[in-house]
Amino acid sequence: MELRSYQWEVIGPALEGKNIIIWLPTGTGKTRAALYVAMRHLEMKSNAKVAMIVNKVHLVHQHYSKEFQPHLKDRFKITPISGDSGSKGFFANFVKDSDIIICTAQILHNALMSDSQEKHVELTDFTLLIIDECHHTQKDAVYNKLMEIYLQKKFNGHRKLPQILGLTASPGTGGANTFEKAVEHILKICANHDTWRIMSPQTSIKDMEAKAKQPIKQYDLVPERVKDPFGDKLKELMTTIHQYLGDFEFITEFGTQMYEQKIVQMEKDGAETSNRRKRTCAVHLRKYNDALFLHDTVRMKDAYDFLDEFYTSEKLEKNSRNEIDIYLYTLFDGYRHNLLALSSDIKYENPKLKRLEEILKKHFHNSSNSHGIIFTRTRQSTNYLLQWINNTDFLRGLNIKAATLTGAGFSNQSQHMTQNEQKEVIQKFRKGFLNLLISTSVAEEGLDIPECNIVVRYGLMTNEISMVQARGRARAEDSCYSFLAKSGGKESRREMTNESLEDLMKRAIRYVQDMPETEYQEKVKDLQMESITERLVKQAKVESKKKFPASDVRLDCRNCHAAVAYGSDMRIVEGAHHVNINSDFK
């Protein structure tokens, strides 16, 4: 197995048994470096056992089939375990019989917490723990829950704890806006991993830079619509619903994430107080807000179709005679033809789509080898962007073979992909059957996909980690990274801020790397003690909360508030899934 000089440099302390974080750009072989550490660990240490944990299911199969199995299958037994593999119920047995386990962090955490003999393992059953995308080891993330168990054992005097190897392309700044806070965030990440040092190339930087080619970045900023009669009409409808509610608190914030958060809270408040009018209006207002998001992202027609489909399915499914439902249906019906006519007027079409068409034309017009990714905010917008590409005459002639890639997590707001569907799309993209992915953030991290020559971040407002991860997908020669957004909008300002935060992160990491060892170790120990104390306080709060006998807790329907179940009907599976076992439940 061959490694490049920068990979040898960063794994040095890990080969000596030290806990480290490897900080390398996307596409420079962090997994290959970790693979070599795992191989040497198994060769040199008696009774060694390795676990590689990941934060997404598809990465289990990717690391197994692309790295570990091809290189180590003749010498070690490697077992991939994920929620869809059927193996997690016998996790302990597989751990016992394997040299290397590759699994999601949640499955390992479930096994540590389980009472089942077939599932339960101890952290000390492993001698090396590799944590992929380890910048997620913070706050209440499952990675951090695992490392809290590790730290608790460490401070309780356990000697046989596993060696820790973290991998990341971007630890981020943790929301810091000062150098001191950024340093504190990096130290916290180090403390959470019990890290001896963050490792990045010092003497072999040129070798790494030759491998990690940076794309040409361009800001594709477009002016706002001069007039927006369709958007204005949607806002007029939303104002009318607020008037019906007698609520005028935040009617100036339509079409923003802030408004969405307030509407989600309004729906929750309405459900908890059995206020059907408030809850139902909140559900409809959220749909209008989603339509405004779509209007800002894709075609007016798509925003109209989205609302039209919602009201059509609402009427069919509910067949309601409730006065609130009837009012809301009638309100939309009264504006339906007007909205349809406005959505068809191309004078007011989304200027971002025209610019996106120009970008795709430039990169796919004369190249049969082009590969690209368009990152967008929601699952809904991925589907409508795909429809737009397939329905645009000029783009249809460019040999663009596009598909959507979205998360596998369930959402009651939109359709999710299954893990098998995700796998199929990624494989087709890898093999060239597809050459353009329209994706949510699921494709930012970890995916082993072809080197793209065009990556477009389409109207996104995210943090510096997402920016770095997405940019790392553009690794082909002379590749382009485009940030496409409204000129002078919040999104473009945030992207520029992210560039400053990336620089702040790099300076903070270098500062932490250069700290005197005694000072660094003291800081890390203090942060670890703080973390354990916080966890104990949080646990005590949870345990002190008033608890009721299960049979005294009644569950009401969120829609009509009818009683549907009692707490005694419910069971919790794997500490996460709530299941009603009453056969009379409808």
Side-chain angles (χ1 to χ4, degrees):
M1 188 189 306
E2 290 186 10
L3 296 182
R4 298 179 77 108
S5 59
Y6 65 84
Q7 289 170 312
W8 284 114
E9 184 181 349
V10 297
I11 66 172
L15 295 176
E16 297 169 6
K18 291 186 170 76
N19 292 354
I20 64 165
I21 291 173
I22 293 176
W23 172 46
L24 286 174
T26 300
T28 54
K30 292 184 291 294
T31 310
R32 181 64 57 85
L35 171 68
Y36 186 84
V37 172
M39 181 185 77
R40 294 295 293 154
H41 181 86
L42 289 165
E43 288 172 345
M44 304 299 290
K45 193 174 181 72
S46 60
N47 300 317
K49 201 171 290 290
V50 177
M52 179 168 198
I53 58 171
V54 298
N55 64 326
K56 292 190 173 81
V57 172
H58 55 253
L59 296 179
V60 172
H61 306 288
Q62 178 180 295
H63 291 324
Y64 173 75
S65 60
K66 300 284 287 184
E67 292 287 350
F68 282 81
Q69 181 71 352
H71 289 96
L72 302 180
K73 64 182 175 185
D74 295 332
R75 303 177 58 195
F76 304 106
K77 184 167 182 186
I78 308 144
T79 305
I81 301 176
S82 62
D84 63 346
S85 66
S87 312
K88 61 179 183 177
F90 300 95
F91 189 81
N93 299 349
F94 283 107
V95 167
K96 188 178 178 183
D97 295 338
S98 304
D99 299 302
I100 302 172
I101 290 284
I102 306 171
C103 67
T104 59
Q106 189 63 60
I107 283 177
L108 178 55
H109 187 262
N110 290 347
L112 293 173
M113 298 292 107
S114 176
D115 296 327
S116 162
Q117 190 175 340
E118 290 77 22
K119 285 180 72 173
H120 180 74
V121 296
E122 291 289 341
L123 207 54
T124 48
D125 291 339
F126 301 97
T127 54
L128 171 63
L129 190 60
I130 303 169
I131 304 177
D132 193 33
E133 307 293 353
C134 72
H135 49 271
H136 292 294
T137 309
Q138 52 178 314
K139 299 177 182 173
D140 291 324
V142 66
Y143 276 175
N144 210 30
K145 289 177 183 176
L146 288 170
M147 286 310 299
E148 282 173 349
I149 294 170
Y150 171 102
L151 292 175
Q152 191 70 61
K153 287 183 179 295
K154 177 187 173 182
F155 284 102
N156 285 345
H158 278 262
R159 298 284 179 205
K160 294 184 177 179
L161 288 169
Q163 180 185 343
I164 305 296
L165 175 60
L167 311 175
T168 184
S170 178
T173 59
N177 53 13
T178 65
F179 178 70
E180 291 73 22
K181 290 284 185 186
V183 167
E184 187 180 324
H185 170 73
I186 298 301
L187 283 168
K188 186 87 173 168
I189 292 285
C190 291
N192 292 347
H193 291 91
D194 198 30
T195 301
W196 175 77
R197 185 74 75 224
I198 289 189
M199 296 299 297
S200 61
Q202 306 297 321
T203 60
S204 51
I205 293 173
K206 286 186 177 176
D207 182 36
M208 181 194 72
E209 288 174 345
K211 179 69 174 167
K213 294 184 178 73
Q214 290 298 302
I216 298 159
K217 182 168 184 177
Q218 62 189 44
Y219 278 87
D220 288 294
L221 303 179
V222 298
E224 281 199 68
R225 294 174 169 98
V226 179
K227 289 184 178 178
D228 185 14
F230 179 81
D232 291 342
K233 192 60 68 178
L234 291 180
K235 291 173 184 176
E236 186 183 315
L237 279 158
M238 294 168 81
T239 302
T240 303
I241 296 172
H242 276 281
Q243 288 170 341
Y244 175 66
L245 272 172
D247 171 47
F248 306 97
E249 189 183 345
F250 40 87
I251 60 173
T252 58
E253 299 172 351
F254 296 148
T256 65
Q257 284 177 275
M258 186 71 73
Y259 179 83
E260 181 180 342
Q261 288 165 11
K262 289 177 178 176
I263 284 298
V264 168
Q265 187 58 47
M266 180 197 281
E267 192 271 341
K268 188 179 176 184
D269 293 344
E272 287 176 354
T273 58
S274 299
N275 186 333
R276 180 162 182 164
R277 176 180 290 208
K278 189 175 189 179
R279 197 203 75 80
T280 306
C281 286
V283 168
H284 286 247
L285 284 166
R286 186 170 183 189
K287 292 297 177 182
Y288 278 106
N289 204 57
D290 285 345
L292 280 173
F293 275 133
L294 287 171
H295 172 56
D296 188 51
T297 307
V298 283
R299 297 169 295 186
M300 293 182 288
K301 170 191 177 300
D302 300 320
Y304 172 80
D305 287 347
F306 169 77
L307 274 179
D308 190 48
E309 284 167 20
F310 167 69
Y311 277 101
T312 302
S313 64
E314 274 283 291
K315 287 179 190 176
L316 283 171
E317 287 172 21
K318 283 191 175 177
N319 194 23
S320 174
R321 294 183 182 178
N322 179 275
E323 64 170 277
I324 302 160
D325 292 325
I326 291 168
Y327 170 79
L328 293 165
Y329 299 158
T330 306
L331 179 66
F332 179 74
D333 284 341
Y335 282 81
R336 187 189 294 267
H337 293 299
N338 189 204
L339 285 169
L340 180 59
L342 290 171
S343 72
S344 306
D345 192 337
I346 58 169
K347 286 201 303 286
Y348 306 113
E349 196 47 278
N350 192 339
K352 284 192 285 199
L353 289 174
K354 190 66 185 168
R355 185 70 191 104
L356 181 57
E357 185 178 344
E358 290 166 3
I359 292 167
L360 294 175
K361 177 183 173 183
K362 178 182 176 183
H363 289 277
F364 284 89
H365 187 47
N366 294 316
S367 174
S368 58
N369 297 319
S370 283
H371 273 77
I373 304 178
I374 300 169
F375 286 104
T376 185
R377 194 174 77 91
T378 66
R379 295 171 180 180
Q380 293 153 350
S381 57
T382 64
N383 292 320
Y384 285 120
L385 279 170
L386 178 61
Q387 285 179 28
W388 168 75
I389 287 169
N390 291 336
N391 294 336
T392 303
D393 291 339
F394 186 84
L395 294 178
R396 277 208 308 269
L398 292 182
N399 194 35
I400 292 176
K401 296 166 287 188
T404 62
L405 180 64
T406 61
F410 176 77
S411 164
N412 61 5
Q413 293 298 309
S414 58
Q415 187 70 34
H416 66 286
M417 290 183 91
T418 65
Q419 288 156 5
N420 283 335
E421 285 170 340
Q422 281 185 337
K423 233 185 297 185
E424 187 180 345
V425 168
I426 293 161
Q427 283 173 355
K428 283 182 176 177
F429 190 64
R430 214 177 266 150
K431 292 175 180 176
F433 297 119
L434 296 170
N435 57 14
L436 180 66
L437 293 182
I438 306 159
S439 179
T440 53
S441 60
V442 71
E444 286 175 351
E445 282 188 350
L447 279 179
D448 178 29
I449 51 183
E451 295 180 345
C452 294
N453 58 307
I454 174 65
V455 168
V456 181
R457 296 233 307 153
Y458 188 75
L460 287 178
M461 192 162 74
T462 55
N463 62 19
E464 72 280 8
I465 295 176
S466 287
M467 181 191 76
V468 170
Q469 299 277 13
R471 187 182 65 206
R473 299 288 147 225
R475 301 200 297 268
E477 199 73 42
D478 300 323
S479 57
C480 173
Y481 168 80
S482 161
F483 184 81
L484 202 168
K486 280 187 294 192
S487 181
K490 296 189 293 289
E491 297 88 354
S492 55
R493 290 198 297 273
R494 177 67 209 194
E495 184 75 2
M496 291 171 188
T497 301
N498 286 341
E499 291 177 3
S500 301
L501 290 173
E502 183 187 7
D503 179 62
L504 184 66
M505 174 193 77
K506 289 175 179 176
R507 289 194 292 124
I509 291 172
R510 289 190 200 104
Y511 179 85
V512 169
Q513 287 175 326
D514 293 340
M515 283 175 75
E517 188 164 352
T518 306
E519 182 189 349
Y520 170 81
Q521 293 298 343
E522 282 175 4
K523 291 268 189 190
V524 162
K525 189 176 179 183
D526 288 347
L527 286 166
Q528 288 174 339
M529 291 302 294
E530 273 179 36
S531 176
I532 289 170
T533 305
E534 278 174 24
R535 180 166 162 252
L536 292 172
V537 168
K538 202 181 287 183
Q539 269 181 346
K541 273 186 182 176
V542 169
E543 286 164 12
S544 67
K545 274 187 179 177
K546 188 176 182 182
K547 291 186 173 70
F548 298 93
S551 56
D552 289 353
V553 177
R554 192 185 75 206
L555 295 153
D556 292 347
C557 171
R558 197 179 187 95
N559 276 320
C560 68
H561 309 293
V564 292
Y566 285 93
S568 50
D569 297 330
M570 308 300 288
R571 299 292 183 272
I572 300 175
V573 180
E574 293 184 338
H577 311 291
H578 294 73
V579 180
N580 188 330
I581 61 165
N582 189 332
S583 58
D584 294 329
F585 177 68
K586 295 176 183 175

